[in-house]
Amino acid sequence: MGFKGLKPILYGGREVWPLVEGGKGVSASNHMSSGAWAAAGGIGTVSAVNADSYDAEGKIVPQVYNALTRKARHEELIAYAIEGAVEQVRRAYEISGGNGAININVLWEMGGAQPILEGVLEQTRGMVTGVTCGAGMPYKLSEIAARYDVNYLPIVSSARAFRALWKRAYHKVPHLLGAVVYEDPWLAGGHNGLSNAEDPLKPEDPYPRVKALRDTMRTEGVADSVPIVMAGGVWFLRDWENWIDNPELGSIAFQYGTRPLLTHESPIPQQWKDALRELEPGDVLLHRFSPTGFYSSAVRNPFLRNLEARSDRQIPYSKVEAGVHTVRLDVGVKGKNFWVAPKDLDRARAWSAQGHTDGLRTPDDTIVFVSPQERDVIRKDQADCMGCLSHCGFSSWKDHDDYTTGRLADPRSFCIQKTLQDIAHDGPIDENLMFAGHAAYKFKQDPFYSNGFTPTVKELVDRILTGD
């Protein structure tokens, strides 16, 4: 038997395919990809995470931060973000030609999330159908959606997370709950909601987790017609045939984040597209180096391997002689009084001999050893922080109150704004964070992409609808 096919769903007052383009910031999904996805009858998603804006000649405006303080640079970042996202939405809406729907995507843990979201929605009334939002617990999402009369689509990784959001806030705005996105924390690209109670090395079957989410939604009185959007690991729809028209699960839609990266309209640089074709199973790593503190998934390229190696060059210490810390550290700390275990002193001396001569303290009472060049980059990136997150582990920035987390800046992490801007605008792919979902290896296996074929978004959507 062939693939039984999808039926359109009603979203934002019109029929659309239950196919959602995953929003990918910074600038990895923009007006070209999302407008084309909507034009093909699906739900296109503009990333409102520091989106590109353009000058009078149509060239991308570099996001340069000239202010002297972090707080003032943060205000610059908010202005860039609003201007860029508004321009992206307007262009996407025009490309869509009145077909499908345009959503915007924000991370609740991005710096200035609320003023950015409000600023964008204020200037794009009638163009945005809904807002997807994850990376944190966006309690205020329903309240903001109600103010601008748009749908809201929270991104969760468990029934428990949805229940908390519903009980605290969403029950007050039930009519605008457009869908609930279930993002598989083991398979989705980018940041995810893996909790401390879950093992990153032991993936769980999504079906019982999505069924539990639907059961919770039913308990709270949410109709089965409100879709659950399955996100993470979705490639061939025929693999999910038992989810479609399944009374246990109710209405189901599917989100594609990784596959739209390799299309003509995808804005990512050609070298990034080429690299996707060469990935093998296991080349995408679920890791916790992000300054957000969340787990995230990205290609295990030299950038990520360097972060792994840096964390491996790490030893615990104490300020006084205590327990196993019986010897004084004599490398990397320039006469400061740190006590370590004898075996760790030997390791530190070996790392120093290899050129990792500088010890940097972490918030967890450990020291990591880096080269002088690496130290200088870390220090500069921390000093140049422009406040792109609500809480940043790398720089200790916080976007409210006293503007500091009160914790030591963590040299085991990195400036995520810098690297995502760089890779999206043709920076070296080996020296930057390359987000991807864990199914990205299928680009190499799927005959659709053979002989270097790159589809248009319309060709991709049509292909997906066949089950392939």
Side-chain angles (χ1 to χ4, degrees), residues 206-467:
Y207 188 96
R209 293 171 66 94
V210 170
K211 182 182 180 302
L213 173 57
R214 178 61 76 188
D215 290 345
T216 297
M217 291 168 66
R218 286 169 175 154
T219 299
E220 302 301 342
V222 179
D224 273 16
S225 57
V226 175
I228 293 175
V229 182
M230 177 61 209
V234 182
W235 196 273
F236 300 122
L237 277 186
R238 53 182 154 82
D239 294 337
W240 302 82
E241 192 153 16
N242 66 318
W243 289 51
I244 301 167
D245 301 327
N246 184 330
E248 273 195 334
L249 299 180
S251 178
I252 290 286
F254 297 93
Q255 180 166 300
Y256 285 87
T258 298
R259 283 189 81 169
L261 287 171
L262 193 50
T263 60
H264 282 289
E265 294 90 344
S266 167
I268 66 171
Q270 189 60 46
Q271 58 174 339
W272 188 349
K273 293 181 181 181
D274 293 343
L276 291 171
R277 295 182 186 274
E278 302 304 319
L279 295 178
E280 301 284 353
D283 280 353
V284 173
L285 179 70
L286 178 61
H287 65 90
R288 208 170 187 177
F289 296 115
S290 169
T292 61
F294 294 121
Y295 281 95
S296 64
S297 289
V299 176
R300 194 170 176 231
N301 61 357
F303 174 85
L304 213 48
R305 290 177 186 274
N306 181 57
L307 288 168
E308 290 179 281
R310 187 189 303 171
S311 273
D312 286 342
R313 296 190 303 272
Q314 179 174 194
I315 57 174
Y317 73 90
S318 55
K319 292 285 188 71
V320 296
E321 184 179 358
V324 298
H325 297 160
T326 57
V327 294
R328 191 178 275 116
L329 186 60
D330 60 7
V331 291
V333 292
K334 295 180 180 172
K336 294 175 184 171
N337 209 21
F338 296 115
W339 294 81
V340 298
K343 65 179 176 59
D344 288 335
L345 177 60
D346 292 339
R347 295 167 73 206
R349 286 172 173 169
W351 295 328
S352 183
Q354 293 165 4
H356 305 291
T357 55
D358 287 59
L360 301 177
R361 289 191 301 136
T362 81
D364 298 319
D365 294 330
T366 62
I367 293 176
V368 293
F369 284 79
V370 299
S371 69
Q373 296 83 1
E374 202 169 12
R375 174 207 62 205
D376 291 346
V377 170
I378 291 168
R379 294 288 192 232
K380 184 178 189 319
D381 287 351
Q382 289 171 334
D384 290 347
C385 172
M386 73 295 287
C388 76
L389 299 175
S390 65
H391 298 77
C392 177
F394 178 65
S395 69
S396 295
W397 156 268
K398 184 174 68 174
D399 73 354
H400 52 282
D401 300 335
D402 58 356
Y403 300 101
T404 174
T405 63
R407 284 171 62 80
L408 199 64
D410 195 338
R412 296 168 297 187
S413 189
F414 56 93
C415 176
I416 196 163
Q417 179 74 202
K418 172 189 168 184
T419 187
L420 291 181
Q421 287 283 1
D422 198 33
I423 194 169
H425 299 102
D426 221 14
I429 58 172
D430 282 348
E431 298 173 23
N432 286 295
L433 184 69
M434 192 194 305
F435 279 144
H438 288 258
Y441 68 89
K442 292 185 178 178
F443 282 122
K444 192 172 185 177
Q445 299 180 355
D446 188 340
F448 186 51
Y449 301 94
S450 60
N451 300 314
F453 177 68
T454 300
T456 63
V457 166
K458 176 71 165 68
E459 288 170 333
L460 174 60
V461 170
D462 288 347
R463 175 78 169 192
I464 288 169
L465 287 168
T466 70

